[in-house]
Each structure stands twice: as C-alpha cells, then as structure tokens.
Amino acid sequence: MFLKNFQNSFLRVLLMTVAVTSCQKHQLYVDSEISGTTEDASLMRAIAERDSAALFAFTGHPDPHISDLAWKGLAHAELDASDVRYLFDSAVEDSSAKAWFVLAHQDLTDEPSREIESLFLSGELQPGPVCHYLKRKGSAEVLEKMVRYPEIFAYPECSAAAGFMIQRIPLQHQEVDSLFSLIKGSDDQELRLHLLYGFWRTPLNRPKTGSDSHQIVMEMLYQRRDNQPETEDEFLLRIAGIEAFADAAERVKLTDSERNSQFAVTAAALLSQMAPDSIDISSVLILLEHPNPNVALEALEALKQVKPLDHSVLELIWETVLLYHPFPEAEISLLELMVEQGQEKHGNLPLLRNLQEEQPYLTSRVLDLIKLWVVETDYLTRISELLPGEGISSMHSAMALSDYVSTHPAPRMVASKISEQFQNEVKAFNRSLLSVSELLLFNPYFFPDSFLPVLETLLEEAYQKNEYSLAAMISSVLKERGAAGGAEDAGPPRKPFRYPESDWETDTDRHYDWVLETSQGEIRIRLDPDSAPFTVSSILHLSETGQYDGVVFHRVVRNFVIQGGDFDRRDGFGGPPYRIPTEPSFSSFNRGSVGMASSGQDTEGSQFFITHTRTPHLDGLYTLFGEVVEGMEVVDRIRLGDVVISARVEVREGRGK
C-alpha cells in the first residue's frame, strides 16, 4: 500500500543522505509524475487534484491511513450539493467525526446550515462530533445552549467549539460568570484551555476588573493547580490584564527563565495598558533584563504606547537594553521608542546604516527612521543604494519607494532622481522588487510607455521560470496600460505539484526526526509522514539537497510563531519551483506544532513555521506535519534573522517519543 511503500523509500533516501555533504547543493527536481501501484498513484493524484469522486471512493479503504488521507483531502475539495447531502446524512446517522470535519471546511448554503443548527438546538443531534462543524459556524443560539447546559463541554469537540464562538459572539455578564465558575471548578485541563482560549484570543468577552469572573481569573493565576500548564498561565495573565502585571513580573524574576519565556512575553505586552505616571520601573527592568531577548523586544514594543514617559525613565531603559541586549532589533526598537516619546536621536544615522547592513530584515524600519531625520534627496539616495539585487533589502526599499511616491505631491520629481535605478532592477527581473512594485509599474513617470516592451519580455521570462504570481501581476499591468501582452484569460497556470516517492514501506519500529541546527541551538522535530506524505517527502528532499542550510527565520511573531524556509528569494516570499497540496490534520496546533506556511490552499512550498503556543484557529487550514520533541527553549529564543545552520533528517528506533 501507499504508506508502506512510502516509508521504505524514505528510509533508503535517508541512508543515502548520510553520504551527502550537508552543504552540498543539488538541482531541485519537480516529480510531476507518480510511479508505483495504480492505487498509490490514484490516491496521490486525487489529493492533489481535489478529485472528490476518487477521494470519496478511498474513504472506504480498509487501511485507516489511506482512508484518513482521503477524508482530509475532501476537506479542501469542491463538493457539489449531492456530495454535501451525502456527507450530511453520514454525519447525522453515523455521528461520523470525519464527515463533520469535512463539512466544517465547506461553504454550505443556508439551508443545510440551518438544518444542522436546528437539529442541535432541538436535541435531535447529540453533542460530540457535530461540534467540529459548530466550531466555526455555530450561532449565538448554539453558544447560549452550551452555556446553559455545561454538560455538553464533557465532549472535547464542544468545549473547543465554544472557545471559538466566544471570540466572536457577545455574551451576557451572567454567562461569562457561569463559564468562569465552570473553568475554576473543572479538573479537565483541556476543557479549561479550550474555554480560556476564547477569552485570551480576543477581548470581546473578557471580564471587567472587579467582576466575579475577574476575581476568579486572579485566583487561578496565583493559586496554581498541580497540573496547571504554562499555557494556561499565559491565557489567564492576558485575560487578567494590567492588574496582574506587578505580581507577574515578580514571578518572572523568581522562576526559571527557560520555562517562563512565553509567560514573560505576555507580561511584557501588558505594559501597553499602563498609565505613564504609574510605571513601576523595577518591574519593567525585570522584563528588559530577561535572558530571552524576545521578552525585552515585546516590552519595548508595548512601551511605545505609554506616553509620555519621563526622560529619566527613558534613559534607564536605553542603558539597560544596550547592556543586556546589544543586537540590531533591540537597538532599532530603542530608537523607535525615543521617536514615539518625542526624543529623537538624530545623531544616530551612522548607527542606522550599520543596523541595516548587519540585519537586512530591519530595512523597512530603518528607512522609516531615516525618512524622519534627513532631507528628501538623502532619503531617496539611500533607497537607491538598497534597490539592487534580490532579497529583503530590495523588497523593503521598493515598498518604501512605492509608499513615498503614492503620497508625494510631485511624483515626477521623485522619478527623476531614482527611476533609472528602478528600471534597471525591473529589467534584471528582480523578483523581490517586482512583487511589490505594481503601483510603480502603473506610474508613467517611473515606467513610461516606451518601456512596456520590457514588461512583455519579462512576462515570457516569468512563465518560463514558473513565477506565475509575478506573471499574473505583470499581465494585469500590461492589460490595464493597453499593451499587447496583457492577458485576457483567467490568468496564468500554477506551479506543478511535486509528488512523494511512491515506494515507501511502513516500519512501525522507526520514526523520523528533522533536526535543525540553528544559531540559537538545536531543534528536533518529530515528522508525521502518515498524515502529511507530500510535505514530509518535500522536507526530506530539500534537507538532503542542502536548501535549508544558511536560511534565516524571516518572520517572528512573539507568542505566536517563528517562520523560515525561504531559500530562494530570501525575502519571505520565495520557494521551490513546485508546490505541494495543503494536507489538513485531524490534530490541533499546540505549542511546538510545526506547519507549512502558505498563501492560500495548495500553495505550500518550502516555508514552515513553529508555534509558540496553542493556535487552534490554524486547525484544518494549514498542514501540520510534525512537532518539536527537543529544543522548545531554542524556539522561544529565536529572533528575526536567526539562521538555520544546517538541516538533516535522522531515523530513530521506536515510534514513541
């Protein structure tokens, strides 16, 4: 069968990888054809093409792995009315969790949606798997029933659904009090986390200071249960708000810094709620001196919103950060804080240039400050210096130029100073610049009609290089400007799919670890080839060929994710010459989950992310292909621009953790 064959090849390639020098680069290939048995090929083709008829056939397969792949493939397939009715009947009659999973990801018409709700509200449809659907589609009446009959929360799917609905449906005060009384009295850790998540993620229903519910939150925060996880503490702290800040800062000081990093980041974010005349500088210094630099960065970001701060406080903040965290992102955050507080450091222009050169991923922020401190000519000169060559500096400088021109009263004057440099980069097919320059390509001062033949040539080049998103943008510009190369059809094709090797064989005594050696330490990720064969096969291929070596983490959202994997353009928008389909999982994104970044369904390539905390809003929408089993403290330390030194896949004995 497919998965049995799949893992045997996986093992063979892994063994071959040992003989390959980690830094050696090989040409990437696009395996657009599938070998192996007819059944294997049919399943993979059905998943990639979202062939609902074929996928429905595979849902009845006796091998549960194959059946599960088919069900998950259906979640993102386009189903007709008869398909939806079949699923609905299966879900209602058999209480099929997988059928409800698929329905939850379909855009149902009003009629079946009302029927599902009606059956649930009347009691004809029992709680349980139906909550997979109600999670994103449930109404205020559904949530009201759940709060009135809390025994429904005994079903994990339903407590998770309630957590989602709490984010978007206003509750009465007494309903909030009922839920927090339930949370406080429950020994079910998952129930507590599911419900708290809704209050944590958005402020819509957070209890007001002084309310009974707020008092419960404060009690739970400082009278911890034996089994209370760190994530629960983070949720409670954000829900409690600024009233809990001082005690939280003291707790950060007294506990292990490796374990409390995300709690400390949450505490730092609360600084934004503090009044400037009530700043407790000793608590602020605890956070600024934290060994995890992301805590200090979050504190600096929050302090930008607390105005005005006393000059002596600002000077102490400046000295502390430079002493404990002398790295580019912290330094530019300090400069931004001073600007926000009206104490601009005009004498730091040489520092800004150094920061940008040391950390190009800060280019947009550096340019924002330069624009405040220099005359227009010097600002445009700096942009011009950063435009050449693909990468994040070129992209950010092109974005800055586009923004500047869009608000400038004399765009022709701006163009006279910089258009030649811009045109040269367009001719050079600078993808980083082109991808953010649509407005400039429409501007006749920057790109006159005499240059439109250049765009027609670039359109052909984009097609040849599988750069279909750029082709679509260039084609749109040509069409709007009346050039011959403008597309009249629905748009260019998409990148071809890469299919997994088809001769793997299941080995229940082995598991596969993706090991990332980073500039902050080692991260070990347990891969899940059963759930995401396309993704794991691609990860193996890219790691074997050294594509991830030397690639930065280009996106860090504190208390959410770190993201990397753009070995191509290195501006956060690149990837391989192929794509892989979205492979949704029945599992949920938790702290340490590893998923594939995408710009929409079936657009995944090489970029991946690792979560800092529970993120169930990603469930079913993104591919979940592994989890961190060692090195989560390294994930917490990763900051913008940190590097994957090398990536490899190892085979280990035993499928357990």
Side-chain angles (χ1 to χ4, degrees):
M1 305 318 303
F2 169 74
L3 289 181
K4 293 182 179 179
N5 295 330
F6 185 55
Q7 291 186 352
N8 186 45
S9 171
F10 188 57
L11 175 58
R12 288 205 317 272
V13 178
L14 283 170
L15 294 176
M16 290 189 338
T17 304
V18 175
V20 178
T21 304
S22 62
C23 64
Q24 183 179 0
K25 301 284 183 180
H26 300 280
Q27 182 178 0
L28 291 179
Y29 70 93
V30 181
D31 183 7
S32 58
E33 298 298 328
I34 315 174
S35 58
T37 69
T38 302
E39 187 176 63
D40 298 345
S42 296
L43 175 60
M44 291 298 98
R45 186 74 68 190
I47 291 172
E49 296 180 356
R50 303 299 175 191
D51 183 340
S52 59
L55 290 169
F56 269 116
F58 274 110
T59 60
H61 198 283
D63 185 329
H65 293 306
I66 292 192
S67 174
D68 283 354
L69 283 173
W71 278 112
K72 290 183 286 190
L74 277 171
H76 288 262
E78 186 173 340
L79 305 182
D80 61 26
S82 62
D83 292 333
V84 171
R85 173 49 63 178
Y86 171 79
L87 283 171
F88 176 79
D89 292 341
S90 297
V92 172
E93 294 171 11
D94 303 330
S95 193
S96 169
K98 293 168 186 175
W100 283 119
F101 176 85
V102 175
L103 286 171
H105 292 89
Q106 297 294 317
D107 291 325
L108 303 188
T109 60
D110 290 342
E111 183 179 349
S113 295
R114 285 195 299 267
E115 190 173 354
I116 291 170
E117 270 205 13
S118 177
L119 290 171
F120 178 79
L121 292 171
S122 67
E124 296 175 68
L125 195 56
Q126 293 301 307
V130 65
C131 288
H132 286 299
Y133 175 84
L134 297 174
K135 180 178 178 179
R136 286 190 168 90
K137 311 291 179 67
S139 66
E141 290 77 15
V142 169
L143 181 57
E144 182 183 353
K145 176 176 178 176
M146 289 182 172
V147 176
R148 190 184 310 124
Y149 301 103
E151 59 271 18
I152 292 174
F153 297 140
Y155 298 90
E157 308 97 317
C158 297
S159 58
F164 261 66
M165 288 185 277
I166 287 168
Q167 300 173 50
R168 57 183 172 79
I169 298 173
L171 292 170
Q172 300 295 322
H173 294 308
Q174 59 268 28
E175 291 175 317
V176 173
D177 289 342
S178 295
L179 286 172
F180 275 99
S181 294
L182 173 66
I183 292 168
K184 179 182 179 182
S186 176
D187 291 325
D188 185 337
Q189 182 182 113
E190 282 301 299
L191 182 151
R192 298 197 307 270
L193 287 170
H194 284 156
L195 296 179
L196 287 172
Y197 174 80
F199 295 101
W200 169 83
R201 183 154 167 77
T202 66
L204 176 64
N205 289 306
R206 284 183 198 161
K208 301 292 188 291
T209 302
S211 67
D212 291 343
S213 294
H214 192 270
Q215 184 60 38
I216 288 174
V217 172
M218 298 292 284
E219 290 173 3
M220 291 183 66
L221 191 54
Y222 298 111
Q223 298 174 13
R224 302 184 72 247
R225 303 166 185 261
D226 292 337
N227 70 336
Q228 189 160 310
E230 295 294 325
T231 299
E232 187 169 337
D233 292 338
E234 295 163 32
F235 287 0
L236 289 167
L237 180 56
R238 184 188 286 187
I239 295 167
I242 193 63
E243 288 75 20
F245 173 77
D247 288 338
E250 188 64 20
R251 176 169 157 185
V252 168
K253 179 181 179 180
L254 298 175
T255 55
D256 175 46
S257 61
E258 292 285 11
R259 289 189 61 223
N260 72 20
S261 290
Q262 297 310 313
F263 183 85
V265 168
T266 302
L270 293 179
L271 282 170
S272 65
Q273 303 175 26
M274 191 168 285
D277 57 356
S278 63
I279 282 284
D280 177 4
I281 191 61
S282 62
S283 296
V284 172
L285 292 179
I286 290 172
L287 299 173
L288 293 178
E289 295 170 5
H290 196 281
N292 187 320
N294 287 304
V295 178
L297 290 172
E298 188 65 28
L300 290 172
E301 188 64 30
L303 287 168
K304 293 175 187 177
Q305 302 175 55
V306 184
K307 297 183 269 193
L309 290 173
D310 185 77
H311 178 75
S312 62
V313 170
L314 288 172
E315 287 301 313
L316 186 55
I317 291 171
W318 180 276
E319 294 169 3
T320 301
V321 173
L322 291 182
L323 177 64
Y324 284 88
H325 304 291
F327 64 92
E329 190 175 3
E331 292 172 16
I332 197 166
S333 293
L334 273 176
L335 291 172
E336 290 168 340
L337 174 62
M338 295 302 168
V339 169
E340 289 289 338
Q341 297 292 334
Q343 300 193 28
E344 301 179 13
K345 301 279 186 176
H346 292 82
N348 283 282
L349 283 171
L351 171 62
L352 282 178
R353 179 180 287 269
N354 292 337
L355 292 180
Q356 190 280 326
E357 291 174 352
E358 185 176 347
Q359 181 45 272
Y361 286 84
L362 298 174
T363 298
S364 62
R365 295 168 66 181
V366 168
L367 287 173
D368 284 344
L369 291 179
I370 289 177
K371 184 167 66 173
L372 293 175
W373 296 345
V374 301
V375 297
E376 178 181 275
T377 301
D378 292 341
Y379 177 60
L380 293 176
T381 297
R382 186 56 183 147
I383 288 179
S384 181
E385 292 170 349
L386 295 172
L387 283 177
E390 288 189 342
I392 196 67
S393 296
S394 180
M395 173 177 277
H396 282 184
S397 57
M399 292 168 62
L401 178 60
S402 183
D403 289 344
Y404 194 68
V405 170
S406 67
T407 58
H408 199 281
R412 176 181 290 181
M413 183 183 69
V414 177
S416 68
K417 300 176 181 179
I418 201 171
S419 62
E420 183 177 355
Q421 180 70 69
F422 172 77
Q423 291 163 7
N424 288 338
E425 290 306 306
V426 171
K427 293 176 187 177
F429 198 66
N430 181 333
R431 295 171 298 167
S432 300
L433 174 142
L434 276 168
S435 63
V436 296
S437 296
E438 185 171 5
L439 290 178
L440 292 176
L441 294 178
F442 277 116
N443 191 308
Y445 300 128
F446 276 83
F447 219 76
D449 288 346
S450 59
F451 276 84
L452 290 180
V454 173
L455 280 189
E456 293 174 354
T457 301
L458 292 181
L459 179 60
E460 293 302 318
E461 187 173 353
Y463 277 119
Q464 292 169 6
K465 294 182 177 179
N466 286 353
E467 294 289 346
Y468 296 125
S469 60
L470 280 180
M473 184 272 287
I474 294 170
S475 180
S476 174
V477 172
L478 288 170
K479 181 180 179 181
E480 290 298 320
R481 295 190 62 172
E488 297 293 339
D489 56 16
R494 304 172 79 182
K495 288 182 179 180
F497 281 115
R498 180 188 188 277
Y499 289 89
E501 295 83 357
S502 61
D503 55 344
W504 291 28
E505 182 174 339
T506 299
D507 187 340
T508 57
D509 294 327
R510 296 179 186 273
H511 56 231
Y512 310 100
D513 286 358
W514 191 31
V515 183
L516 304 179
E517 296 288 350
T518 80
S519 49
Q520 292 289 347
E522 182 180 285
I523 304 169
R524 183 174 292 271
I525 296 162
R526 184 67 35 80
L527 298 174
D528 187 0
D530 290 347
S531 180
F534 281 87
T535 304
V536 172
S537 174
S538 179
I539 290 289
L540 165 65
H541 171 57
L542 295 173
S543 299
E544 177 200 356
T545 54
Q547 302 301 322
Y548 286 120
D549 298 354
V551 176
V552 304
F553 288 96
H554 63 268
R555 181 177 181 236
V556 176
V557 183
R558 292 179 288 276
N559 252 4
F560 180 35
V561 297
I562 61 173
Q563 183 174 326
D566 177 8
F567 64 84
D568 175 31
R569 287 164 41 169
R570 305 198 178 219
D571 58 17
F573 291 88
Y578 59 79
R579 60 188 172 115
I580 51 180
T582 306
E583 299 181 274
S585 174
F586 295 141
S587 300
S588 185
F589 279 88
N590 289 303
R591 174 166 163 80
S593 294
V594 187
M596 290 301 288
S598 77
S599 56
Q601 181 178 305
D602 299 336
T603 62
E604 289 81 354
S606 60
Q607 294 192 37
F608 64 93
F609 61 85
I610 306 175
T611 55
H612 289 131
T613 190
R614 291 169 73 102
T615 51
H617 58 285
L618 305 179
D619 293 354
L621 304 176
Y622 292 82
T623 300
L624 197 170
F625 69 94
E627 63 175 317
V628 175
V629 291
E630 294 177 21
M632 200 57 213
E633 72 284 355
V634 177
V635 174
D636 289 338
R637 287 198 300 268
I638 292 289
R639 60 180 190 254
L640 185 69
D642 276 332
V643 179
V644 175
I645 299 169
S646 66
R648 67 183 186 276
V649 179
E650 294 181 354
V651 184
R652 285 192 165 191
E653 298 295 331
R655 293 300 290 270
K657 297 177 183 177

